[in-house]
Amino acid sequence: MAAKSWIGRLQRSVSVTYPWIPGAVAAILSVGMWHFGSWKPLERMGYIALFKTRFFNVLPQPSWDERLAIIAIDEASLKKYGQFPWARDRYIQLLQQLQKSPPAAIGFDIKFVESSPVDAQFARAIASTGTVVLARAWDDRGKVLEPVPALADVAANQGHIVKQVDADGITRQATIWVNGPNFSIPSLGLALLEVYNASNPRNPAIIPQPIPSLKMQGVWLNWPGKVKMSASNPKQISPPTYSFVDVVEGRFKARDFANKIVLVGATAKGLEDNLRSPLNLDPPISGVYFHAAVIDNLLNNRLLQLLEDKSIILLLLLLGPITNGILLQLNLRGRLIVAVVLPLIYMGIAAIAFSFYHWWLPIAAPIGTILLTGVGVQLREQSEKQQLMGLFEKHVAPETANLIWEHKEEIIQDGELEAQEMVATVLFMDIRGFTSISEKLPPRELLSWLNQYLDVMSDCIMNHGGVIDKYIGDAIMAVFGIPQARTTSEEIKQDAINAIAASIAMHEKLEELNQQLREEGKPEIQFGIGIHTGTLVAGSIGGSRRLNYSVLGDTVNVTARIEAMNKELTADKAYKILLTSETFDYVSDRYDAEQVATMQLRGRQQETIIYNIVGERVVETVVEIGNW
């Protein structure tokens, strides 16, 4: 039994036995990009995109917690009280008014780091309220900016107002604890919740505990919604925001602040500590809403959760091969569909996890892995095809190689061109009187003359879907209907029609060629064509060192025999095309033919009826005109 065929060796030479390589390479590349932070800019965009999905009204849209209220130092307040900063008696008036609607906690997003003449009165107002939280911070050189001692001593708590801004200007994280060797300082939002819990022991908010090993202990913000401003109606603002001057002058209802967490901060242009959220990109919002977002997330236990790095790496390592496996089963159109649908499915999963379970799944890296795998599969297949085609064409005709590639999954099995039984139309043609012509022409001229003829005839065959099986001296053997087996009668019929059409085209081209040969003083050419349709076997023929893709069977033998009959049967005919009744039955509605012989071919039990093509059938169209 012959060793593995040359096709198997060709396949191995271009590594077709490792179809998983693109997915593995894409996964490893994606993991490397994740490790070195290359996906980070795109993941930041993914964070914004997840928030934008809330506007589609398909997934739940959270809103700001109703236990929050903002007192804003806005334009109206500046117009009333003048340039900021103000004298601290303004804050004394504010605290006095809030006694009418006592909040559970009051946080000042304002730094009181310098002494003032009214600090004693302000301290008494803070102590009387009992729920005031003051802000502390650090300057650019790391110096602590603490509230003046007189105020700090009577405050219910203190919290830092450090904010984090990513490279794209979006605030996604909050530092809830700043930890040192002997201290842990909560954020302003966390400090307010500690005071709030003291007032609400039956329903306390869950407060993350400090982790001393983390100097800046952060969380990921799940912004509750877009900050919407309405100067005329605080209830139309999310979260509810009241003008400082309106509160000081008593323009609020008793229930507006009762048992709520109230934040006091600047929102007027030029004063606010601007930041951008994924829902408020332009214009930005005041930093006081950042503290409100932290409080909201902790009150509702909806801080964003992220996958651990090892889980993300595992996800990427699985996505590459899985995508690779799916794409290998599809053609180019299917792959393009998958390249769109699969990322959309993943995006849908990420959006559901985000909206219902507060999980921020990576977006860019997984989708990027899917797309990288798709590109890799396509590029590798294209490269593999180019290499394989280059090697195929040394053994079979280029058109055969192309057809084999297009249907490789059906034809190539375990590195072999599988033998296939099929119905096809075989065409034989050769030159009449070639022997005498070859004796008259020098070998070099003969070869040039013959190649000129073969080139023109081959074009006619291939332009009509035929495959050049082989050249045998001056003869051409072509097959219509390989290498993919035909499954319907219509397909077999079309192959037969194509063979006749190619033969007629060869007659027309031969007239042009003979005109050129006469002008060049070279011998003119006459040929004969034989065509037969029947069952044959297509596959690799040869030994372990040399193989050829060809067809075998009685159909081939019959075609060769009837082609030789052209010398006697078509000498006075316009078309030198002989075909059997098996072929004529398929083309009789398209071409006219005359029966020229009935004979018993050697080796065949039944008689063979032979026809000669007369020309294309003329179909008359009758148009009936009715009465007007």
Side-chain angles (χ1 to χ4, degrees), residues 105 133-134 157-160 186-196:
V133 179
L134 299 179
N157 208 346
Q158 293 182 40
H160 71 77
S187 67
L188 181 63
L190 209 61
L192 279 163
L193 283 175
E194 289 179 338
V195 175
Y196 175 83

Side-chain angles (χ1 to χ4, degrees), residues 525-544:
I525 298 172
Q526 299 298 323
F527 60 40
I529 298 173
I531 300 172
H532 176 52
T533 303
T535 302
L536 48 76
V537 175
S540 299
I541 302 171
S544 60

Side-chain angles (χ1 to χ4, degrees), residues 152-410:
D153 290 344
V154 294
N157 208 346
Q158 293 182 40
H160 71 77
I161 53 174
V162 173
K163 301 177 186 69
Q164 290 180 249
V165 180
D166 289 334
D168 60 353
I170 307 295
T171 295
R172 296 176 174 84
Q173 296 183 75
T175 302
I176 56 173
W177 289 102
V178 175
N179 300 306
N182 301 306
F183 63 86
S184 290
I185 303 172
S187 67
L188 181 63
L190 209 61
L192 279 163
L193 283 175
E194 289 179 338
V195 175
Y196 175 83
N197 283 349
S199 303
N200 296 270
R202 293 184 179 180
N203 188 27
I206 299 173
I207 298 177
Q209 296 305 302
I211 303 174
S213 60
L214 298 176
K215 183 177 180 181
M216 305 289 281
Q217 184 178 334
V219 293
W220 292 92
L221 285 179
N222 185 359
W223 287 87
K226 188 172 184 177
V227 174
K228 300 176 183 177
M229 304 303 295
S230 173
S232 60
N233 189 347
K235 292 185 177 179
Q236 294 179 3
I237 304 173
S238 299
T241 302
Y242 301 79
S243 174
F244 189 99
V245 64
D246 286 343
V247 178
V248 169
E249 295 184 359
R251 291 190 289 272
F252 63 92
K253 297 178 181 178
R255 65 176 180 272
D256 286 345
F257 303 109
N259 205 37
K260 292 184 179 182
I261 300 173
V262 176
L263 281 158
V264 183
T267 62
K269 292 182 179 179
L271 295 183
E272 72 272 32
D273 182 14
N274 281 344
L275 57 80
R276 288 177 171 80
S277 81
L279 300 174
N280 291 91
L281 298 172
D282 190 23
I285 55 176
S286 171
V288 71
Y289 294 104
F290 162 79
H291 302 298
V294 174
I295 296 168
D296 172 277
N297 282 194
L298 291 170
L299 280 172
N300 295 280
N301 193 27
R302 58 184 176 196
L303 287 166
L304 289 182
Q305 306 298 315
L306 276 66
L307 291 177
E308 295 181 0
D309 265 10
K310 60 183 180 182
S311 298
I312 294 173
I313 290 171
L314 179 61
L315 172 65
L316 300 180
L317 290 175
L318 289 174
L319 266 179
I322 290 172
T323 305
N324 196 126
I326 294 172
L327 296 178
L328 284 177
Q329 311 302 317
L330 305 172
N331 57 21
L332 179 59
R333 181 182 178 185
R335 289 173 184 175
L336 290 175
I337 292 172
V338 168
V340 174
V341 171
L342 208 54
L344 288 177
I345 291 173
Y346 180 83
M347 188 67 186
I349 293 171
I352 290 171
F354 181 79
S355 296
F356 288 97
Y357 305 104
H358 316 308
W359 278 96
W360 175 19
L361 300 181
I363 299 294
I367 292 178
T369 303
I370 292 170
L371 298 179
L372 283 172
T373 301
V375 171
V377 168
Q378 200 61 35
L379 288 177
R380 183 176 179 280
E381 182 168 292
Q382 189 63 31
S383 174
E384 177 185 307
K385 179 181 178 181
Q386 290 172 354
Q387 295 178 56
L388 196 58
M389 292 296 290
L391 293 168
F392 264 135
E393 289 172 3
K394 297 177 183 178
H395 299 269
V396 296
E399 63 274 16
T400 307
N402 272 305
L403 286 169
I404 290 171
W405 175 263
E406 290 171 7
H407 305 286
K408 61 183 183 298
E409 300 300 332
E410 305 164 29

Side-chain angles (χ1 to χ4, degrees), residues 3-11 391-393 395-396 404 415-417 540-541 543-549:
K4 276 285 185 182
S5 75
W6 57 273
I7 293 169
R9 294 194 294 273
L10 294 183
Q11 285 188 296
L391 293 168
F392 264 135
E393 289 172 3
H395 299 269
V396 296
I404 290 171
E416 297 279 355
L417 277 175
S540 299
I541 302 171
S544 60
R545 298 185 63 183
R546 174 69 177 176
L547 284 169
N548 185 50
Y549 181 75

